[in-house]
Amino acid sequence: MKAFHFNPVNYIRNKSLRWRIMLCIGIAIIMLAASIFMTMRFSYYSISNLGDSYKSNSELTQFTQAVTATENAMENYVMYRTFESIDAYYTARTKVEDFYQKLQEFPSQNEVYHKEYIVHQLTESFLYYSNMAVSAKRANDDEEVMIHYNYAMNTYNYLVNQVLELNNMRLQQNAERYNENQDRIVLSNTLGIVFFLIFSLLIFFVLYFTITSIMEPLADLSEVSHKLSQGDFDIPLFNSKSSDEIGNLCRAFDRMIISIREYIDTIWEKARTEAELKEKEIEMQTLYTDAQLRALQNQINPHFLFNTLNTGAQLAMMENADKTCYFIEQVADFFRYNIQQQSRTVSIDEELGLVDNFVYIMKVRFGNRLEFTKDIPDGEFPQAIPSMTLQPLVENCIKHGLKNTKGKVHLALEIEENFIVISVSDNGEGMPEQTRQAVFQAVASGTTRLAPEVLDDNSTHNGTGLISVFLRLQLQFHRDDLFDITVGDKETEAGSGRGTKFIIRIPRNV
């Protein structure tokens, strides 16, 4: 029996031209990738070790800065008691806590680790006393403030000295490691050059052998003809430059294959283009609706901001107690809610809470001239509505109600079968029918301002807030029967004013 001998050279030569080209490219890519990988690996390892040499010193420097920032913030809060200082205190304290927990927690015979343990314990003591000083300052206990403040400062001074000593000890260690890493860098660079040269030689020999083995195209032409007869067009083009019969045949095959591929690509491109156009149309419609909603929600009355802050300043001059602090906190909560909730819906309960906040601010401003009442059934109202829906209505009623000697505003909530009905009414002079119709026309046309002919010459109110509320309800629920304007209720009327009543209906099951 004749023995079988495997000859790799003949095996490669018997393969198709495409197979040999791909094999050559694959081997070259693998070798090149291996060379690059080995070189990058050695460089990364060396640079990483060199960079880590003084990383611990950098971290200790950042830790010292965080401790110093915590101490400065605590001292500023104890002396001046400002919102900025307490915010800076908690921010710096968090950074200190994140770092010191990485230090040694137990005593150790190792000198560096034992020093880390001392810094860990001192940091805990400093954070404890500083926190006690801040808490005592909040409670206005000056005696406790001074006790804990002194403890905190003594601990801080000792802690800074210990951190400096630890930094010096680590600096000595890192200097020794730096010399070792320098030697490793030299070795890694040498190895990287050696590997690059070896792989470059291997790639050269592989490419030379492959190019030499693909100089006979006749067998490949036969294979391509066979695939074409079976309807397989996923084959490489010849791109022959020869002018003989084989070159002409190759170019004819190329033109035929290109025509078929272009026809197939045209069909796929047409289908893909139609799908993309449909998708972009849907996306543009969504973006347009979202832009409308955001534009309406971003309308803010700056006069209210200035009037409120002026009232806070006047109150701060008249009183020197908790009322001023509480008033300013209410103002801060109001604008924080306004900013944070602009881009999403909120529950009815959240909007009612904002109204209470707003009415408190208005009562501080106008005193006994403003009387606000509300009638809200017991229970929770989690139904979603656009943010800043009720506050503009209440603000509108307060403005018109205060035109009388005493303004009265009433907010009521009623539960119906399919809706939750919320009404806000005042005892003002009432809205003229022309203005009422102009509001509904503005909502129907999508504009946020009243027509100029319905506005008074001296009026600064253009109906933007009121119209924006109705437009946002329309965009949210996609229906235009959720709002109305009528004459005020009898219980809120006073004098000759008829009053105005705003009504909105929130679907219960949406």
Side-chain angles (χ1 to χ4, degrees), residues 4-19:
F4 174 77
H5 298 283
F6 177 74
N7 190 336
V9 176
N10 292 333
Y11 177 79
I12 293 175
R13 286 180 177 178
N14 291 330
K15 290 293 183 180
S16 65
L17 178 61
R18 180 181 181 184
W19 189 91

Side-chain angles (χ1 to χ4, degrees), residues 271-288:
R272 186 182 63 84
T273 302
E274 291 178 354
E276 288 181 351
L277 289 175
K278 185 64 177 178
E279 182 179 350
K280 288 182 178 180
E281 180 181 357
I282 297 174
E283 182 181 1
M284 290 298 295
Q285 183 63 32
T286 303
L287 291 174
Y288 175 76

Side-chain angles (χ1 to χ4, degrees), residues 187-385:
L187 177 61
S188 65
N189 290 336
T190 303
L191 291 175
I193 294 174
V194 171
F195 275 109
F196 179 78
L197 293 176
I198 292 175
F199 283 118
S200 297
L201 290 175
L202 290 176
I203 291 173
F204 173 79
F205 284 115
V206 169
L207 290 175
Y208 178 80
F209 173 78
T210 304
I211 292 173
T212 303
S213 67
I214 62 176
M215 298 303 295
E216 301 177 357
L218 292 177
D220 296 315
L221 182 59
S222 176
E223 181 69 18
V224 169
S225 300
H226 178 70
K227 290 183 178 180
L228 287 176
S229 66
Q230 294 181 345
D232 184 4
F233 301 100
D234 189 17
I235 55 178
L237 298 176
F238 288 103
N239 294 323
S240 177
K241 304 297 182 181
S242 176
S243 59
D244 56 13
E245 293 78 6
I246 296 177
N248 294 332
L249 183 60
C250 290
R251 285 189 289 273
F253 272 96
D254 288 347
R255 287 192 295 270
M256 180 179 62
I257 294 172
I258 290 173
S259 298
I260 296 175
R261 287 178 177 176
E262 287 179 349
Y263 180 72
I264 295 174
D265 291 339
T266 301
I267 295 176
W268 280 106
E269 183 66 22
K270 183 177 180 181
R272 186 182 63 84
T273 302
E274 291 178 354
E276 288 181 351
L277 289 175
K278 185 64 177 178
E279 182 179 350
K280 288 182 178 180
E281 180 181 357
I282 297 174
E283 182 181 1
M284 290 298 295
Q285 183 63 32
T286 303
L287 291 174
Y288 175 76
T289 303
D290 184 67
Q292 268 192 311
L293 181 59
R294 289 178 180 271
L296 292 171
Q297 288 177 329
N298 287 332
Q299 309 243 358
I300 300 174
N301 186 356
H303 298 288
F304 171 73
L305 171 62
F306 299 140
N307 291 336
T308 301
L309 294 180
N310 288 334
T311 303
Q314 295 173 5
L315 188 59
M317 294 175 61
M318 296 172 58
E319 298 185 56
N320 191 20
D322 295 336
K323 287 184 178 180
T324 302
C325 181
Y326 182 73
F327 174 82
I328 297 175
E329 288 176 351
Q330 294 297 302
V331 175
D333 289 342
F334 177 85
F335 288 108
R336 186 180 300 111
Y337 178 96
N338 186 294
I339 295 172
Q340 293 177 350
Q341 311 299 337
Q342 283 186 4
S343 60
R344 70 178 184 90
T345 58
V346 297
S347 66
I348 295 178
D349 288 330
E350 290 177 296
E351 278 295 279
L352 292 174
L354 178 67
V355 168
D356 291 338
N357 185 305
F358 174 75
V359 170
Y360 169 80
I361 298 172
M362 290 294 96
K363 283 187 176 181
V364 172
R365 179 182 175 188
F366 297 108
N368 294 330
R369 291 184 57 201
L370 173 61
E371 178 182 334
F372 177 80
T373 59
K374 63 179 181 178
D375 185 12
I376 309 297
D378 295 334
E380 297 181 350
F381 302 93
Q383 290 77 11
I385 61 175

Side-chain angles (χ1 to χ4, degrees), residues 4 68 145 220-221 336 366 377 447 484 496 504:
F4 174 77
T68 303
V145 169
D220 296 315
L221 182 59
R336 186 180 300 111
F366 297 108
T447 182
D484 197 4
S496 60
I504 60 173

